[in-house]
Amino acid sequence: MTKQSINTTCVQGGYRPGNGEPRQVPIIQSTTFKYDTSEDMGKLFDLEATGYFYSRLQNPTCDYVAAKIAELEGGAAAMLTSSGQAANFFALFNICEAGDHIVASSSIYGGTFNLIAVTMAKMGVTATFVSPDCSEEELHAAFQENTKAVFGETIANPALTVLDIEKFAKAAHAHGVPLIVDNTFPTPINCRPIEWGADIVTHSTTKYMDGHGSCVGGVVVDSGKFDWLAHADKFPGLCSPDESYHGITYAEKFGKEGAFITKATAQLMRDFGCTQSPQSAFILNLGLESLHVRMPRHVENGQAVAEFLEKQPQVEYVNYPGLPSNKYYARAQKYLGNGGCGVVSFNLKGGRKAAETFMKHLRVAAIETHVADARTCCLNPATSTHRQMTDEQLATAGIPAGLVRISCGLEDKADLIADLAQALAKIDEK
Ligand SMILES: *Cc1c(COP(=O)(O)O)cnc(C)c1O
């Protein structure tokens, strides 16, 4: 059989019903599962047999949806998590412990920056942040003896920088560690980081994958390509016996394809319990069924809005990797051939006051602290998420007071542009 299109995988991947079984993914709304003998259940606890015993660790509905996302990303295995934050924490903490070190791009989601720079630091895991545009020398210089992972975002939220995945993967592999890429903004429809050398891919499924602003969720996908045993000294958690699981050595028992996700499930999900509910997984799957239809429209709207804004006299600059004027245009052409996402940011010449006037008059776009769903929304960091900062502090942080982030939804682009045009005109009325 020829390789199936990703479009078909969006619709039919993961769950493949047998004769007479439900066509739609069943919601297995059960915390627990029944066995005939204690011996049968014992085998599950020993990881000697596969099966379900408690939904904190694994649930069939969640596994069907995780399997679909693994297929979409070209990975070997995946697990759903309660949020994108949990996904990134699990991806890192599965291979890093106290005394270890992470190399991360400085251009990442604020929540993930805080997770790595503050919370994981309290757990004894330190990090060095590098610019996504650093030279190869600067990148290599960031590594230490105890470095265990490299982390970046394909398109960073909200900076919209584009990661040079091949360069970061090469550096990670030269130092014997995996590259973890948060692929939330492009989704596998627009970029599959594993094809460019990434080893582990994460998502906040809250964004485009769900796509309707319905459920908070996350996913960790393992490529199954990283050879843990070849670097056994760096990854004792995968390459030496786990005494909390009867002395199992994950990399030996489950191989390259199974070790990472099995360990994350058996240890991290067992101990932290950041599990996704089967209801949420079902709703996430409804979103995935149309992901390949929705993403091109988000990109079309983002591109049209970016091109429109770039021509407006009230706009100082527009930040969108699909614009030829953008610093990341060439890199976006390479990694994001079908376009990146529907999120655009732009700076209004009139600063905070202009942003306030503009936002107040929007009729189609709503003011929200969310991105990447069907309804267009926008945010002015200076008057919302970053309102404690002065204009000077904002400028230093690269978030000028007049900056507006707009997440283009699935509405008609002519209506979006008309809405922006009338709100921009209000800035000039005084
Ligand atoms: C939103 C987001 C997260 C966090 O995801 P939650 O589902 O809100 O926990 C992580 N990474 C990126 C790129 C995001 O956009």
Side-chain angles (χ1 to χ4, degrees), residues 36-154:
D36 291 339
T37 68
S38 305
E39 201 187 333
D40 288 346
M41 186 175 283
K43 283 187 187 143
L44 300 177
F45 274 91
D46 287 352
L47 302 179
E48 284 301 329
T50 55
Y52 298 92
F53 53 96
Y54 190 50
S55 286
R56 168 157 35 86
L57 283 94
Q58 273 186 296
N59 171 280
T61 309
C62 295
D63 280 357
Y64 290 135
V65 181
K68 174 181 281 189
I69 299 173
E71 288 172 35
L72 291 172
E73 287 288 5
M79 72 193 299
L80 296 190
T81 57
S82 53
S83 66
Q85 285 300 109
N88 283 326
F89 175 61
F90 275 22
L92 290 163
F93 203 63
N94 206 30
I95 46 176
C96 298
E97 56 187 49
D100 290 343
H101 173 258
I102 297 162
V103 172
S105 165
S106 57
S107 187
I108 53 176
Y109 178 66
T112 312
F113 182 84
N114 204 70
L115 167 70
I116 296 174
V118 180
T119 302
M120 290 189 73
K122 288 182 189 164
M123 299 171 154
V125 180
T126 55
T128 300
F129 291 94
V130 295
S131 159
D133 308 319
C134 66
S135 68
E136 274 184 42
E137 293 68 41
E138 287 166 329
L139 184 51
H140 283 293
F143 285 81
Q144 304 177 2
E145 269 308 294
N146 57 345
T147 302
K148 298 297 166 74
V150 179
F151 183 90
E153 290 177 12
T154 315

Side-chain angles (χ1 to χ4, degrees), residues 198 238 314:
L238 283 155
Q314 301 91 343

Side-chain angles (χ1 to χ4, degrees), residues 286-424:
L286 291 180
L288 292 171
E289 287 184 4
S290 65
L291 186 65
H292 60 301
V293 182
R294 294 184 286 108
M295 285 313 290
R297 175 62 78 92
H298 283 294
V299 168
E300 181 188 330
N301 286 354
Q303 187 73 30
V305 160
E307 286 173 10
F308 165 78
L309 288 169
E310 203 171 36
K311 295 193 213 97
Q312 305 312 305
Q314 301 91 343
V315 175
E316 191 180 324
Y317 62 81
V318 180
N319 187 15
Y320 187 69
L323 290 176
S325 61
N326 189 269
K327 182 177 174 187
Y328 297 98
Y329 182 71
R331 202 178 285 168
Q333 293 298 108
K334 172 176 172 177
Y335 291 107
L336 305 155
N338 301 326
C341 63
V343 182
V344 178
S345 67
F346 58 101
N347 192 27
L348 288 167
K349 285 175 189 163
R352 190 186 296 258
K353 192 156 184 310
E356 247 169 310
T357 306
F358 168 76
M359 304 255 299
K360 189 166 71 188
H361 288 96
L362 289 169
R363 292 292 169 264
V364 180
I367 301 173
E368 291 172 27
T369 45
H370 193 239
V371 285
D373 76 52
R375 291 160 292 265
T376 296
C377 59
C378 62
L379 185 81
N380 171 228
T383 51
S384 57
T385 51
H386 294 65
R387 64 180 295 127
Q388 74 285 1
M389 291 165 84
T390 65
D391 284 11
E392 292 69 39
Q393 286 172 325
L394 286 166
T396 315
I399 312 162
L403 191 84
V404 176
R405 179 185 71 187
I406 179 164
S407 169
C408 299
L410 299 174
E411 302 91 343
D412 194 286
K413 64 187 173 196
D415 291 334
L416 293 182
I417 288 171
D419 190 35
L420 297 174
Q422 62 82 23
L424 284 172

Side-chain angles (χ1 to χ4, degrees), residues 83-85 88 109 112 153 157 182 184-185 204 206-207 216-217:
S83 66
Q85 285 300 109
N88 283 326
Y109 178 66
T112 312
E153 290 177 12
N157 175 14
D182 181 332
T184 297
F185 268 19
S204 165
T206 317
K207 312 294 165 54
V216 174

Side-chain angles (χ1 to χ4, degrees), residues 174-245:
H175 293 271
V177 304
L179 172 65
I180 303 171
V181 173
D182 181 332
N183 196 35
T184 297
F185 268 19
T187 81
I189 300 304
N190 288 337
C191 182
R192 284 179 296 285
I194 292 170
E195 291 175 3
W196 299 101
D199 302 284
I200 291 143
V201 173
T202 60
H203 286 271
S204 165
T205 61
T206 317
K207 312 294 165 54
Y208 289 118
M209 283 192 167
D210 171 299
H212 300 79
S214 304
C215 294
V216 174
V219 68
V220 182
V221 182
D222 176 30
S223 68
K225 290 186 176 150
F226 193 84
D227 191 350
W228 307 105
L229 286 168
H231 308 281
D233 54 323
K234 281 193 192 291
F235 304 105
L238 283 155
C239 303
S240 60
D242 178 359
E243 294 314 330
S244 76
Y245 252 114

Side-chain angles (χ1 to χ4, degrees), residues 19-32:
N19 194 34
E21 288 178 356
R23 186 71 183 102
Q24 178 57 287
V25 173
I27 304 172
I28 308 295
Q29 194 63 53
S30 182
T31 57
T32 191

Side-chain angles (χ1 to χ4, degrees), residues 160-184:
L160 304 177
T161 55
V162 178
L163 189 72
D164 190 343
I165 302 173
E166 275 189 322
K167 182 169 100 179
F168 275 68
K170 240 175 79 186
H173 298 159
H175 293 271
V177 304
L179 172 65
I180 303 171
V181 173
D182 181 332
N183 196 35
T184 297

